[in-house]
Amino acid sequence: MPHRPILCVDDEPNNLALIRQILQDDYRLVFARSGTEALQAVAKHDPALILLDVEMPDIDGYTVASTLKDQPETEHIPIIFVTSLDQEVDERTGFASGGVDYIAKPVSPYILRARVSTHLSLVRASALNRSYRDAIQMLGMAGHYNDSDTGTHIWRMAAYARALAEAVGWERERAELLEQAAPMHDTGKIGIPDAVLKKPGKLDEGEWKIMKTHPRIGYEILSKSQAPLFQLAAEVSLYHHERWDGSGYPAGLAGEDIPESARIVAVADVFDALTTKRPYKEPWPVERALETLRTSAGSHLDARMVEAFERILPRILALKQHWDQQESRT
Ligand code: C2E
Ligand code: SIN
Ligand code: SIN
Ligand code: FE
């Protein structure tokens, strides 16, 4: 990550000097002495964090904050207000205008260091989450790249998987992990030649043999990581085409020998595959897709999962609508 400075804004040089003294050994600092200078400094230095005085002669701190929050390039920069105004109404104005925290003057060195450290670690965590999300998306798209796809569909089926996991009693955190893992279920399709993946019609026997290798290819790729997310993704990849009655691939596992994660993702995957366009098929209406899920309950799919899916159908349809809209926007 590039080394981004902390921007310290105050019209009173003594206040800036104090902040400098407290923070300079640990952080790179840049300074501004007015609201106008602050906005210029943000554009020039792209700070990781802003310590912002409220009362300034030209543009006050709340206005500076609102201005930054209105621009997509700067809206994510956390702002800590540093001020002698300590009435409650001002705190409310401060948080409303986009401040993440509030420090009263005179500044206590201990509090300033603690708050700065906390907010910078939140910045790092959210940057990490962003790269995590991007990595997941890249692997997901690697799998579907060939069937001419925008990438949003992997998040739609992931949202179904999470909703279904919660509906069958998974804890929220575990269900969220499954939501992150599910987009990678078809990563192994990266190893399938275009001639097979993009074939407009039915696959012949030789082509099916090739297609059926994708769960294991994905597993080989994803299991390289020991991180729980990728371990789960590897499991899902390997088993998402197993069938309840044992007729699936690659292992021919049956019933509860198939990991629950994969039984959940299978329902999400099939519903999504049926209701969206594929190189070999047009999208089906929801009702027809549900018919197929019902017919598959107990043979292909775990009946318990299909029942739960139908129980939360309103939520599923809301998620579908949300992600279909995202897709039409990209
Ligand atoms: P996919 O397109 O992501 O489909 C995932 C799963 O959704 C399929 O797994 C299947 O269980 C279900 N599914 C998709 N379309 C239909 C359908 O029209 N009817 C029914 N009953 N179920 C459907 P499956 O069958 O193991 O296929 C795995 C992957 O193989 C598919 O992923 C797709 O990439 C490819 N594939 C499957 N059939 C064909 C085909 O006829 N032509 C081509 N070119 N590819 C196919
Ligand atoms: C300081 O140098 O400590 C204050 C910074 C400034 O007024 O520019
Ligand atoms: C098919 O051959 O149409 C599907 C193959 C399978 O799921 O075993
Ligand atoms: Fe698959």
Side-chain angles (χ1 to χ4, degrees), residues 13 16-18 20 31 33:
L16 288 181
L18 177 62
R20 176 199 287 277
F31 300 94
R33 283 188 214 79

Side-chain angles (χ1 to χ4, degrees), residues 125-313:
S126 91
L128 185 65
N129 284 339
R130 246 193 329 275
S131 9
Y132 232 168
R133 242 189 351 261
D134 289 351
I136 293 164
Q137 174 127 358
M138 289 185 275
L139 284 167
M141 288 184 76
H144 279 260
Y145 172 70
N146 285 313
D147 46 25
S148 71
D149 172 41
T150 58
T152 57
H153 108 265
I154 57 177
W155 295 111
R156 182 178 50 225
M157 68 77 63
Y160 300 158
R162 176 197 175 160
L164 182 52
E166 284 180 0
V168 297
W170 283 36
E171 277 170 22
R172 188 200 165 106
E173 217 171 289
R174 186 82 184 146
E176 276 177 13
L177 196 67
L178 186 64
E179 179 174 33
Q180 308 255 292
M184 297 180 267
H185 72 281
D186 266 342
T187 296
K189 280 187 180 171
I190 196 164
I192 306 301
D194 269 17
V196 176
L197 205 54
K198 283 190 181 166
K199 184 177 177 179
K202 289 269 165 214
L203 303 179
D204 67 26
E205 201 183 321
E207 291 162 341
W208 257 115
K209 201 161 172 252
I210 294 166
M211 184 57 86
K212 285 180 178 178
T213 62
H214 83 272
R216 186 169 295 282
I217 296 171
Y219 174 84
E220 298 295 340
I221 293 171
L222 296 163
S223 63
K224 294 286 183 290
S225 169
Q226 295 304 311
L229 169 63
F230 293 106
Q231 291 286 310
L232 181 60
E235 173 182 282
V236 166
S237 172
L238 186 57
Y239 297 117
H240 74 282
H241 286 301
E242 297 294 351
R243 296 183 169 207
W244 185 257
D245 63 9
S247 69
Y249 58 93
L253 298 185
E256 291 184 353
D257 287 347
I258 307 165
E260 196 174 31
S261 58
R263 282 180 274 137
I264 290 168
V265 167
V267 174
D269 183 32
V270 171
F271 181 77
D272 191 48
L274 296 178
T275 51
T276 56
K277 187 173 156 48
R278 289 289 196 267
Y280 60 97
K281 64 173 280 299
E282 288 305 312
W284 294 6
V286 166
E287 203 33 63
R288 185 172 167 209
L290 289 173
E291 275 303 319
T292 299
L293 293 195
R294 280 178 213 128
T295 323
S296 311
S299 53
H300 175 179
L301 303 168
D302 180 350
R304 179 171 148 254
M305 297 302 168
V306 174
E307 274 159 34
F309 193 82
E310 293 225 57
R311 205 163 58 235
I312 60 164
L313 192 60

Side-chain angles (χ1 to χ4, degrees), residues 6-13 15-16 19 29-42 47 49-61 64 68 79-83 105:
I6 298 173
L7 172 61
C8 315
V9 186
D10 202 304
D11 60 315
E12 184 55 62
N15 292 336
L16 288 181
I19 290 174
L29 305 175
V30 291
F31 300 94
R33 283 188 214 79
S34 69
T36 312
E37 270 187 37
L39 293 173
Q40 288 163 352
V42 169
L49 177 70
I50 303 174
L51 298 172
L52 185 55
D53 184 24
V54 172
E55 289 188 298
M56 291 184 291
D58 62 338
I59 313 175
D60 71 59
V64 170
L68 295 174
I79 294 170
I80 301 178
F81 288 110
V82 186
T83 181
K105 291 177 189 171

